[in-house]
Amino acid sequence: MDDLALLREYAVNHSDDAFAELVSRHVNFVHSAALRQAGDPNLAEEVTQAVFVILAQKAGRISDKTILTGWLFRTTRFAALAQMRAETKRRQREQEAYMQNELQTSTADEYWSQISPCLDEALAALGEKDRQAVLLRFFENKSLTEVGMALGTSEGTVGKRVSRALDKLRKFFARRGVISTTAIIAGVISANSVQAAPAGLATTITATAVKGSAAAGSTLTLVKGTLKIMTYAKLKLALGMAAAALVVAGTVNVAISSITDDERDSIGEATQQEKSFANEIIKATADEDYQAFIADGSQDFKGIKQKDFKAVCVQVSDQLKGGYHVIFMGSFTLKEAKDHITLWKVSYDDGSDADVLHLSVKNAKITGAILTSPLE
């Protein structure tokens, strides 16, 4: 049975054996990702358990079109993020020191040590389809034919997608001072990315997630924190960083999925000024032009730091430079804040998944901008 068939068997018939098989198949993958991000074996085990607890809870609501490896990757990232938010700065410094001390002398091991701390960030920056292709090809060691079948496309198309994704990873690592080739990246990831989880962890997870064994209080807290992050997961890391600065400044930045009908009024079409704002924001990001990005903003919007804007560019500028189109989708007004929110579809010429720009305007000034991607 494939992954989704097992998931349906568990969701419909409460088959412990089906869920145990899913855990057995993917526990090494999830634990390896958790260990890379948490940097601590104990925390990694807790993150891994949380991911599978969430899988058990959401089993009946996961779409038949979902690639489970991609879903597990994203959920692991959210769980690790929830875990790391609870860690102190001292713990973070210890993790960084640990990674530095673990650098190997051989070229391959040294390169792996350099990219491992930021590998998951690099993967998260890829478009959803590109990321799924890389995960299936190099983390699960599937052939291009198998990847094509999973993604519903041809082997040739998958090969191009994988090559394009590897080149994006190469550029991502190069910006962090790690220079290499796509061939080396592919080889090193294949050899090192998935390692054996601790003995007995799969059994413990199955007992906790399915059979109702008592989970540690910290694990339950982590599950709640991860689910909260998943609710807002559609905020891209790219403009999400700028959005975080805006929220601190007291401006309005809201994802459409988090707003109820009672909180907004339908307004209709966007004004010509709003059309200009949307295109200028995206063009400024593509051009990596900080001054143009903040030019039409409110006082709070202009408070975005240049380093935060650069973080935006690292995430999305390459896609935008490959060509894009900005299309109006709809608009509404927040009753409480009176900001006018317009939604714009941003499609990429390189075939990457389209995103949605949420642009808020008040008194003819931009007060917020967030780029999101659709929920699975």
Side-chain angles (χ1 to χ4, degrees):
M1 298 175 70
D2 62 25
D3 288 344
L4 289 180
L6 287 170
L7 197 60
R8 293 292 169 262
E9 176 67 17
Y10 169 69
V12 174
N13 299 319
H14 306 290
S15 170
D16 292 354
D17 290 340
F19 195 85
E21 174 63 20
L22 282 173
V23 173
S24 178
R25 287 183 186 182
H26 296 286
V27 65
N28 292 342
F29 167 74
V30 172
H31 180 266
S32 295
L35 184 59
R36 285 194 301 271
Q37 297 175 69
D40 181 285
N42 294 324
L43 297 181
E45 289 192 30
E46 198 161 52
V47 168
T48 304
Q49 291 192 51
V51 169
F52 284 100
V53 168
I54 292 169
L55 178 64
Q57 292 178 356
K58 288 181 169 286
R61 302 193 298 276
I62 293 178
S63 167
D64 290 334
K65 297 181 180 180
T66 299
I67 300 296
L68 189 59
T69 307
W71 187 95
L72 289 171
F73 171 82
R74 289 170 61 82
T75 305
T76 302
R77 184 161 174 80
F78 301 146
L81 179 59
Q83 180 64 274
M84 295 308 292
R85 283 180 174 177
E87 292 298 296
T88 64
K89 292 183 180 181
R90 177 189 62 80
R91 182 60 175 166
Q92 292 174 345
R93 287 195 296 268
E94 287 179 353
Q95 291 170 358
E96 293 171 357
Y98 171 79
M99 290 179 179
Q100 290 298 322
N101 291 333
E102 289 295 309
L103 291 176
Q104 304 295 318
T105 56
S106 69
T107 302
D109 285 346
E110 182 177 355
Y111 183 71
W112 171 246
S113 297
Q114 291 174 336
I115 72 167
S116 178
C118 56
L119 174 59
D120 295 273
E121 182 183 354
L123 290 169
L126 295 175
E128 184 68 21
K129 292 180 181 178
D130 285 357
R131 180 169 56 252
Q132 289 175 346
V134 170
L135 292 174
L136 292 172
R137 182 76 175 99
F138 301 114
F139 287 70
E140 294 202 348
N141 294 316
K142 293 186 180 296
S143 67
L144 290 176
T145 300
E146 291 173 321
V147 176
M149 291 177 62
L151 298 179
T153 188
S154 68
E155 180 178 335
T157 300
V158 166
K160 293 178 181 178
R161 183 175 290 281
V162 169
S163 296
R164 181 178 63 207
L166 286 172
D167 192 54
K168 290 179 180 179
L169 292 178
R170 180 189 62 79
K171 292 177 180 178
F172 185 96
F173 296 137
R175 294 190 188 100
R176 285 155 175 75
V178 184
I179 308 301
S180 187
T181 66
T182 56
I184 292 177
I185 292 172
V188 170
I189 291 176
S190 293
N192 296 279
S193 60
V194 177
Q195 302 165 13
L201 181 57
T203 301
T204 301
I205 288 170
T206 302
T208 302
V210 176
K211 297 183 179 180
S213 298
S218 56
T219 300
L220 296 176
T221 299
L222 178 57
V223 167
K224 292 180 180 179
T226 303
L227 290 171
K228 183 177 180 180
I229 291 177
M230 290 176 73
T231 301
Y232 298 96
K234 300 304 99 187
L235 294 183
K236 269 192 164 329
L237 292 179
L239 288 177
M241 296 186 70
L246 295 175
V247 171
V248 171
T251 57
V252 178
N253 295 275
V254 186
I256 183 65
S257 59
S258 67
I259 305 174
T260 67
D261 290 336
D262 291 338
E263 293 174 320
R264 62 177 184 248
D265 286 328
S266 178
I267 295 299
E269 294 297 320
T271 65
Q272 187 59 47
Q273 182 185 57
E274 287 169 329
K275 293 177 183 178
S276 297
F277 284 166
N279 283 282
E280 288 167 6
I281 282 286
I282 297 299
K283 184 177 186 302
T285 306
D287 296 340
E288 302 185 38
D289 188 338
Y290 171 70
Q291 293 300 329
F293 184 81
I294 65 172
D296 296 316
S298 64
Q299 195 62 38
D300 285 335
F301 191 87
K302 290 183 177 180
I304 296 174
K305 296 180 181 178
Q306 190 164 2
K307 67 177 183 178
D308 292 328
F309 174 70
K310 291 298 182 183
V312 171
C313 296
V314 167
Q315 298 280 348
V316 297
S317 290
D318 282 345
Q319 281 181 297
L320 292 170
K321 288 175 181 176
Y324 63 89
H325 294 84
V326 180
I327 304 169
F328 177 71
M329 296 175 62
S331 64
F332 58 91
T333 292
L334 291 178
K335 290 181 177 179
E336 182 175 344
K338 300 304 181 185
D339 284 48
H340 188 198
I341 313 296
T342 52
L343 307 178
W344 308 82
K345 179 180 178 181
V346 182
S347 58
Y348 304 103
D349 293 351
D350 68 359
S352 299
D353 297 339
D355 294 312
V356 178
L357 172 67
H358 305 247
L359 192 68
S360 59
V361 175
K362 186 175 181 179
N363 298 327
K365 296 290 183 180
I366 298 172
T367 58
I370 306 179
L371 199 62
T372 71
S373 52
L375 282 167
E376 291 181 351

